[in-house]
Amino acid sequence: METEDMVSYWLYPTSSHSIKCPMTTLAKVCTLVSPFTSSWVWQRQSFSMKVVDDGNSWHLAGSTCYGENVLDEWFIVSLVRLVSTEFPGLVGRVVDSDGEILLIEAADHIPSWAAEPSVASGRVFLQGGLVHIIPVCDHPGQVTPIPAVTPHPSVCAQVVTSYPHLTRASNKVQQTIMDRLDNMPENLASNHHICTISLPRTVARLLARDKNMLAKLVQGVVEKDQVDTRQARAMSRVKQINMEEYSVKFSRCLFAMVSSCKVRPSKGSGWV
């Protein structure tokens, strides 16, 4: 992990995945999630995946910095779950800097051995829209198709699709995760706050062209230092000209950030 607020995610094809071409699979996944990702207001980075060639196999992988908005992370979990539902031959995995976030969320309902990060790491997956936890052997002499030592994720993915009755997590775990997802990705309202703002036409056009600029603008205001304040004092590039009312969709996190930031324009800026 590059930062503490980074989430990483993967999709592993199994023998039951009918689409053998990795680029076609990536295109199908992007087509499935794009109606949701394009409507979501991201905090730092958006959902993105690429094909990773392992030599004899391949998988899809991505990572996203979610910054201050943890809901971005759970939205990504919902997207991976959605893909695993629509394409049962693809097995998903999601972790962050804390480890197996699905286990952490459902900590009150997981097996005792799964509470040990060194043991549980690499054994939690999403397949068919459900959480799967590959169990460990109870004793060395136990005969089981489940590997005693955690193998490569692609092998684990095949185990999950071959023995779902052995890996499917309990109903309480499933319900805990579903409650946390709160009907995402279909439910976008939980993340968004829409309000009407008076903006210069140039700024409104910028936001219409690239809605990710909204987060950058908010972060620029909230994270400004004394040097930034001095440089922006005159507001030379953004004048109070052609002002109009626009409806702007914030994430609730971005709206809270900008609402709590008190900014007083200088008298010479034309904004007083």
Side-chain angles (χ1 to χ4, degrees):
M1 295 292 176
E2 295 181 0
T3 64
E4 291 184 356
D5 50 5
M6 185 79 72
V7 58
S8 297
Y9 37 96
W10 301 265
L11 290 165
Y12 295 95
T14 63
S15 58
S16 63
H17 183 55
S18 59
I19 306 173
K20 303 307 178 184
C21 175
M23 293 305 297
T24 302
T25 298
L26 178 61
K28 293 282 188 181
V29 169
C30 291
T31 299
L32 176 64
V33 304
S34 62
F36 305 108
T37 58
S38 61
S39 300
W40 188 263
V41 178
W42 299 92
Q43 185 77 11
R44 298 276 180 173
Q45 298 174 342
S46 61
F47 177 90
S48 178
M49 300 198 83
K50 63 180 180 179
V51 174
V52 177
D53 190 344
D54 293 328
N56 295 326
S57 63
W58 59 271
H59 64 273
L60 306 184
S63 61
T64 298
C65 178
Y66 55 85
E68 301 82 1
N69 192 4
V70 178
L71 201 57
D72 279 7
E73 179 179 29
W74 284 101
F75 182 64
I76 288 173
V77 172
S78 76
L79 294 174
V80 174
R81 176 185 173 275
L82 174 65
V83 173
S84 79
T85 302
E86 296 295 322
F87 301 101
L90 292 176
V91 177
R93 171 166 159 72
V94 186
V95 302
D96 66 7
S97 56
D98 292 325
E100 301 286 354
I101 60 173
L102 298 179
L103 290 186
I104 295 172
E105 183 67 23
D108 293 338
H109 309 295
I110 60 177
S112 57
W113 64 265
E116 293 293 333
S118 60
V119 178
S121 179
R123 305 181 80 90
V124 186
F125 295 86
L126 289 164
Q127 191 275 329
L130 298 174
V131 180
H132 289 259
I133 306 173
I134 299 179
V136 297
C137 297
D138 293 333
H139 53 81
Q142 182 180 7
V143 178
T144 173
I146 306 299
V149 178
T150 305
H152 188 273
S154 61
V155 177
C156 291
Q158 189 61 54
V159 169
V160 167
T161 56
S162 299
Y163 307 99
H165 60 289
L166 297 178
T167 61
R168 184 185 185 279
S170 69
N171 290 338
K172 288 185 178 181
V173 169
Q174 308 292 348
Q175 190 59 53
T176 299
I177 299 304
M178 291 303 295
D179 289 346
R180 185 65 177 85
L181 295 180
D182 191 24
N183 294 320
M184 293 188 292
E186 290 82 3
N187 175 24
L188 303 177
S190 60
N191 183 53
H192 297 144
H193 177 81
I194 300 175
C195 60
T196 301
I197 302 176
S198 181
L199 293 172
R201 190 180 302 160
T202 53
V203 176
R205 287 176 177 174
L206 175 65
L207 294 178
R209 186 168 62 247
D210 181 6
K211 65 184 182 65
N212 291 326
M213 285 300 300
L214 177 62
K216 295 178 182 179
L217 291 174
V218 171
Q219 288 155 10
V221 171
V222 173
E223 299 173 3
K224 68 182 185 302
D225 55 22
Q226 291 183 349
V227 174
D228 297 328
T229 301
R230 285 196 300 269
Q231 291 178 340
R233 183 173 297 163
M235 295 288 287
S236 58
R237 295 186 179 182
V238 183
K239 293 298 182 180
Q240 205 168 7
I241 301 173
N242 296 322
M243 301 291 291
E244 295 182 16
E245 299 288 319
Y246 294 94
S247 179
V248 179
K249 182 167 67 174
F250 290 82
S251 69
R252 292 186 182 276
C253 182
L254 285 175
F255 186 77
M257 289 172 63
V258 75
S259 297
S260 63
C261 183
K262 305 300 180 183
V263 178
R264 291 186 177 182
S266 64
K267 292 182 179 180
S269 67
W271 283 85
V272 179

